[in-house]
Amino acid sequence: MSVAGSRTNYRSAEYTTPPNEGVVVDLSEYAERLVNYEDISHLLNEEQERRIADYVKSMVDMSYYKIRGRYDHWKEADRAHDVYVPPGTTDFREKAVIADTRAIADTVLTYLMAALGGRNPMFQLEGLNRKSRNASMILERVLHQQMRRTAGEARMAQLLLDSIRYGFAPTKVVWDGQSNQNQIINFDPRRCFPDPRVNFGDWENMQYIAFADYVSYNSLLYSGLYPKLRMFPALRHKISAPKNSWNAHHFHKEDLRGLSIDPAKAHQRERSDHAYFTLGDARVVDEAWVRLSGHEIGIPSIDQIFLVVTILDENVVIRFQLNPYGRQMPAVIGGLYQDQHKTYGQSLYDLILPMHDIATYLMRSRIDNISAALNNLIFVDPTQVSVPDLIDRNPYGVVRTLPGSKPGDGVFIAQVPDVTRGHFQDIQAMSELKQRVSAASDAQQGMPTAGGVRTATEVQRLSQLGSQRLGVLARVMSATTIRPMVRMMVANIQDSLTLSGSINIDGQNMPNQLTNMVEDGYLDYDVSKDLQGDIDYLVIDGTLPLEPTRNAETWMNMLQIMQQTGLNMEYNAGQIAEEAIRAMGITDLDRFRVNQEDLEQNGPSPSQQLAIMEKMRGASVQPAEQVDREREKGNLIPMSEARKANG
């Protein structure tokens, strides 16, 4: 039976597969090195390098041909978001761009940033068992410290902005071995190429994800990730120029995006005899995180293997090793409006860009109408009016008429009708539609309501409804984007077994379980014993954290209610007042406390005297049942008993 015939029946015992079918590259001789997490890029021969580079190119091409359809729309979103006016524009109408679209995007960004990153600690963790409880509390604060040190808030804000603007926010989460910290890296969507065969949100099922970038050779060398560069100094200079056969590398040619220089061009400083240094010669780098079967690399005994591959200048493999993050690709992809049935999510600009363009057109047509009215066509009879005087007229000029002509004769001014009078109302209507779609109302933007004067209750109610809609988006992003990102960062910290450090613990926010571990306001930790355990991220509810001023108002309202109802007899009003003061931002309240010795010498303070008087006043109006309960507690003494006690 022929091979071709036998392959039609996969159940046949005679089914055969041609040798090396499906094999990307045979790396069986390096199997032991691979499983020991060694970088084998320096061991590859020319043929192996070529096959690996071709495979990475195939992956990138598959993604590029799927995602490139979004590039034009992303460019339009950039134009609207940046309120872009081309440099050198002289036409006044071209400078007229509606800017409220940017204001709406900023409002949504502000809400999401406050909801997702406005807590202290920034990320809420929980231990999945009793032994992990303390570890989760310490990790919360270690993560908070790292986010502060590495400008993590800015990285997170960029992730949210890309989600709003593009609906596609690729973000890498890696461990920086030099600083022993997590590092969040934002990527331009045009430089990221995920597996297009999975839908949005199923990124864990990707076979690959690749990142394209242009960097200097020195940056590659001193990153410490590519030992091959030190082994082969000749790689400092391009062995051969990139073939530019990778369409995915053309993003830098897009106007106003990507690089400010041409990466293919070397910038040289020349003398009369020769060029003595080259500056700005950027290198194209493709980093692919890929999941392969062992069969594809000539090691069929391995079911699947997770690798990281880095290609320099489209042809040289400078990194090839087992994924140091295990079975996890160190990347998350954020999106504002997530649809699990689509490959890419929707952005805010997908929804409001058409209305933005209509509003801009209405504005520019209004300017055109006004310009036409200010530059009316003038019909002149040169036999009655001096045309040069009319052309060169000034506020104090003289227009001469010929003998026998009266002023106004021989001149006709064509009036341009105002057909755009209602355009400002139409622009306002477009703005209101954008607010409805985005849930970013005037009140949430900090602007007076456009619909006329409203009561404070109405404004608060409308703002709450909008916040609920934005809260749903925040909750979904917390679950699908922030959660896997935090999990990666926690895993990176726990895997750095030699890491130890110290964190400052705010006394106001210190959990009781950590009290014994804190000394002089600091908690010392060791990763190997203090941070291990099963830890998970607590998905937030999408609402904004309580502001300190609002919290203080709540405490004060509680005090007022207690005084009005007599509950101040049953609760410690002083402690409640202290909480209100702390909520106002005054944390070190103890430094204002009266010394006990002074109290014994001088007697009760005025505030304490007032408290006693208020207590007595409250006792006089208490119902009989309340008085009986207070007497049983010992808070009240009947007058008869008090007289007997006093003789």
Side-chain angles (χ1 to χ4, degrees), residues 341-647:
H341 305 303
K342 297 180 179 179
T343 304
Y344 302 105
Q346 251 185 331
S347 72
L348 178 64
Y349 281 87
D350 286 325
L351 303 179
I352 65 177
L353 192 58
M355 290 174 280
H356 168 87
D357 291 337
I358 293 173
T360 298
Y361 165 76
L362 293 172
M363 173 70 78
R364 290 177 175 178
S365 62
R366 177 64 174 165
I367 293 174
D368 291 339
N369 200 163
I370 295 174
S371 298
L374 295 175
N375 298 276
N376 289 326
L377 291 176
I378 302 176
F379 298 86
V380 182
D381 184 358
T383 64
Q384 301 185 62
V385 179
S386 174
V387 177
D389 289 350
L390 196 63
I391 295 175
D392 299 330
R393 65 188 187 276
N394 59 69
Y396 307 100
V398 176
V399 179
R400 292 169 291 182
T401 59
L402 297 181
S405 300
K406 297 178 181 180
D409 291 348
V411 179
F412 175 77
I413 301 176
Q415 298 294 328
V416 177
D418 186 1
V419 297
T420 62
R421 182 174 306 189
H423 278 198
F424 279 120
Q425 288 77 13
D426 296 336
I427 293 172
Q428 180 62 41
M430 289 294 104
S431 179
E432 292 177 358
L433 284 174
K434 285 187 282 186
Q435 292 182 22
R436 291 182 183 180
V437 170
S438 63
S441 63
D442 285 332
Q444 289 178 313
Q445 296 182 48
M447 300 290 293
T449 55
V453 179
R454 299 180 183 270
T455 65
T457 303
E458 289 177 323
V459 173
Q460 184 179 11
R461 178 60 178 167
L462 292 173
S463 181
Q464 288 176 348
L465 291 174
S467 297
Q468 289 176 0
R469 292 175 57 190
L470 293 175
V472 173
L473 299 179
R475 183 174 180 83
V476 173
M477 288 202 68
S478 177
T480 60
T481 304
I482 307 301
R483 185 177 192 177
M485 184 178 74
V486 173
R487 282 178 169 176
M488 293 179 194
M489 291 192 291
V490 168
N492 290 343
I493 294 174
Q494 291 180 328
D495 290 343
S496 59
L497 297 179
T498 60
L499 178 64
S500 61
S502 182
I503 52 176
N504 179 263
I505 299 292
D506 185 359
Q508 185 178 357
N509 298 319
M510 181 178 64
N512 294 331
Q513 293 87 342
L514 302 182
T515 303
N516 297 331
M517 301 180 63
V518 178
E519 184 176 352
D520 297 328
Y522 286 88
L523 187 151
D524 299 328
Y525 63 87
D526 183 89
V527 172
S528 61
K529 68 176 182 179
D530 297 321
L531 303 186
Q532 300 302 313
D534 295 328
I535 312 296
D536 200 5
Y537 168 73
L538 282 174
V539 176
I540 68 162
D541 59 5
T543 60
L544 297 178
L546 201 60
E547 297 181 0
T549 55
R550 185 179 175 185
N551 195 14
E553 184 179 355
T554 302
W555 288 111
M556 297 301 294
N557 290 337
M558 183 168 51
L559 277 176
Q560 186 177 1
I561 294 173
M562 292 175 65
Q563 290 176 356
Q564 293 174 350
T565 59
L567 287 175
N568 57 335
M569 300 287 297
E570 300 184 26
Y571 297 92
N572 193 324
Q575 290 185 0
I576 297 175
E578 289 182 4
E579 290 295 333
I581 295 173
R582 290 192 176 93
M584 296 176 185
I586 304 174
T587 58
D588 190 12
L589 189 60
D590 289 336
R591 64 191 179 98
F592 304 107
R593 193 176 300 279
V594 177
N595 190 296
Q596 185 66 28
E597 295 180 358
D598 295 338
L599 190 61
E600 293 176 355
Q601 294 177 1
N602 304 324
S605 65
S607 62
Q608 291 173 326
Q609 294 178 18
L610 181 62
I612 294 173
M613 293 175 61
E614 290 291 331
K615 211 168 193 179
M616 293 175 63
R617 186 186 308 167
S620 64
V621 296
Q622 299 302 314
E625 297 82 4
Q626 181 72 20
V627 173
D628 292 337
R629 287 196 298 268
E630 295 297 326
R631 185 177 61 182
E632 292 175 359
K633 294 178 181 179
N635 295 329
L636 292 177
I637 301 176
M639 293 295 296
S640 59
E641 296 180 10
R643 292 192 184 98
K644 291 180 181 179
N646 294 328

Side-chain angles (χ1 to χ4, degrees), residues 210-229:
F211 301 91
D213 203 1
Y214 286 92
V215 297
S216 69
Y217 176 84
N218 286 348
S219 296
L220 292 173
L221 184 66
Y222 295 113
S223 69
L225 297 175
Y226 313 106
K228 184 175 179 177
L229 298 179

Side-chain angles (χ1 to χ4, degrees), residues 194-215:
D195 189 346
R197 295 168 294 185
V198 299
N199 291 335
F200 202 96
D202 294 333
W203 307 115
E204 294 181 355
N205 296 323
M206 291 188 299
Q207 182 178 337
Y208 68 87
I209 185 171
F211 301 91
D213 203 1
Y214 286 92
V215 297

Side-chain angles (χ1 to χ4, degrees), residues 109-255:
L109 173 62
T110 301
Y111 183 95
L112 294 177
M113 193 63 191
L116 298 174
R119 290 166 171 78
N120 186 16
M122 186 176 297
F123 305 120
Q124 312 298 295
L125 304 178
E126 68 171 343
L128 299 182
N129 52 56
R130 186 177 302 170
K131 296 180 180 179
S132 305
R133 182 180 301 172
N134 284 6
S136 67
M137 296 177 184
I138 301 174
L139 273 168
E140 282 182 345
R141 288 150 178 83
V142 173
L143 273 179
H144 189 81
Q145 183 186 67
Q146 291 190 1
M147 292 292 286
R148 292 282 192 263
R149 287 179 176 176
T150 60
E153 296 109 326
R155 301 292 186 181
M156 189 168 171
Q158 185 67 52
L159 186 158
L160 298 176
L161 175 59
D162 290 343
S163 300
I164 293 170
R165 184 167 46 182
Y166 307 122
F168 185 73
T171 307
K172 287 174 61 180
V173 182
V174 297
W175 183 258
D176 185 355
Q178 297 179 348
S179 62
N180 283 325
Q181 294 186 118
N182 281 291
Q183 187 177 10
I184 300 174
I185 304 173
N186 306 109
F187 260 83
D188 190 309
R190 303 162 185 81
R191 305 188 188 190
C192 178
F193 305 96
D195 189 346
R197 295 168 294 185
V198 299
N199 291 335
F200 202 96
D202 294 333
W203 307 115
E204 294 181 355
N205 296 323
M206 291 188 299
Q207 182 178 337
Y208 68 87
I209 185 171
F211 301 91
D213 203 1
Y214 286 92
V215 297
S216 69
Y217 176 84
N218 286 348
S219 296
L220 292 173
L221 184 66
Y222 295 113
S223 69
L225 297 175
Y226 313 106
K228 184 175 179 177
L229 298 179
R230 297 188 181 276
M231 298 178 185
F232 301 95
L235 291 175
R236 174 176 292 275
H237 306 284
K238 295 178 181 177
I239 304 302
S240 61
K243 305 173 185 176
N244 291 321
S245 58
W246 295 29
N247 292 320
H249 294 160
H250 294 171
F251 67 87
H252 69 276
K253 297 181 179 180
E254 182 180 345
D255 293 337

